Amino acid sequence: MRYVIVSVAKGNAGIFNNNIRKKVFDKFGAKSSKLPAHFTIKAPFESDDISKLDYILEKFCNLNPISKYKVHGYDHFDDRVIYMKVLMSKQGKNIHDNLINQLANLNYIKFNNHDGKNKIFHITIASKKIQKIFKEIYGYVQPIPCNFDCYFDNISIFKWENNTWILHKEYLFQ
């Protein structure tokens, strides 16, 4: 089974991201993730049994507090991805990095530069075959105000089923 680990952006930032992705799709036909608004903790991976992962995340969230982050403005990865910038708090970054350390002990999880400790935290707006319309999309979103206070309050596992991501389980920080 294919899984992904994310933190869902809730509240106004999540609503804003879901709405702006829909507007960008309606105006430009540019697709994004089938996941709700989120920042990625671990990009998709395969496993037949994630019971140990479930245990690790349950315990981890029970032992760690909710932390803050800001979403402020936009940026991009080359002409491939347009995103909302996530400015993670020091506490949130420490919690994230401790989580990466624990998840790295699972033999089916391997981190790289895009989803390990040194990732660029972001919430994607458009990322599917946008190179030819990148400038138009980026020019469209740039003037739209994007400034939110958020909470790193969950870790969510989604599984790939029937050509979409389905929530497997959400773990809430205490």
Side-chain angles (χ1 to χ4, degrees):
M1 183 73 61
R2 190 167 186 82
Y3 297 94
V4 64
I5 306 171
V6 303
S7 181
V8 175
K10 299 180 180 180
N12 291 335
I15 293 166
F16 176 84
N17 180 264
N18 291 329
N19 287 337
I20 199 167
R21 287 190 297 165
K22 183 179 182 329
K23 287 177 185 174
V24 166
F25 176 75
D26 291 346
K27 187 167 180 67
F28 300 98
K31 295 181 182 176
S32 185
S33 172
K34 292 184 177 187
L35 290 161
H38 71 280
F39 66 82
T40 301
I41 294 171
K42 175 63 191 109
F45 62 94
E46 303 278 339
S47 180
D48 294 328
D49 178 14
I50 62 164
S51 56
K52 190 169 182 181
L53 172 62
D54 278 323
Y55 174 78
I56 289 170
L57 293 179
E58 183 86 34
K59 186 176 175 184
F60 188 85
C61 286
N62 285 333
L63 295 174
N64 284 281
I66 293 170
S67 56
K68 294 181 180 182
Y69 65 93
K70 291 189 176 294
V71 173
H72 186 75
Y74 307 96
D75 207 341
H76 57 91
F77 298 123
D78 303 317
D79 60 357
R80 299 172 297 106
V81 178
I82 297 171
Y83 61 86
M84 297 161 45
K85 292 193 291 188
V86 171
L87 309 172
M88 187 59 69
S89 66
K90 185 175 181 178
Q91 179 188 35
K93 174 77 166 107
N94 288 337
I95 290 169
H96 170 271
D97 289 355
N98 290 336
L99 176 61
I100 299 302
N101 288 340
Q102 290 196 27
L103 297 179
N105 292 321
L106 297 169
N107 63 355
Y108 51 86
I109 293 186
K110 303 288 183 239
F111 289 99
N112 61 39
N113 291 340
H114 301 297
D115 63 359
K117 290 182 187 178
N118 297 316
K119 72 168 61 83
I120 296 172
F121 289 95
H122 66 282
I123 301 173
T124 300
I125 294 171
S127 61
K128 308 287 187 210
K129 301 176 185 172
I130 66 167
Q131 287 85 348
K132 292 180 181 174
I133 53 174
F134 168 81
K135 287 182 182 174
E136 290 82 2
I137 298 170
Y138 199 62
Y140 172 76
V141 301
Q142 277 287 71
I144 301 170
C146 176
N147 190 11
F148 302 96
D149 292 319
C150 302
Y151 295 98
F152 181 14
D153 61 0
N154 73 89
I155 300 171
S156 298
I157 300 176
F158 285 82
K159 60 184 173 182
W160 186 252
E161 281 187 8
N162 301 319
N163 203 33
T164 195
W165 291 108
I166 306 293
L167 181 65
H168 168 73
K169 190 163 182 186
E170 176 186 55
Y171 305 86
L172 299 175
F173 288 105
Q174 297 303 308

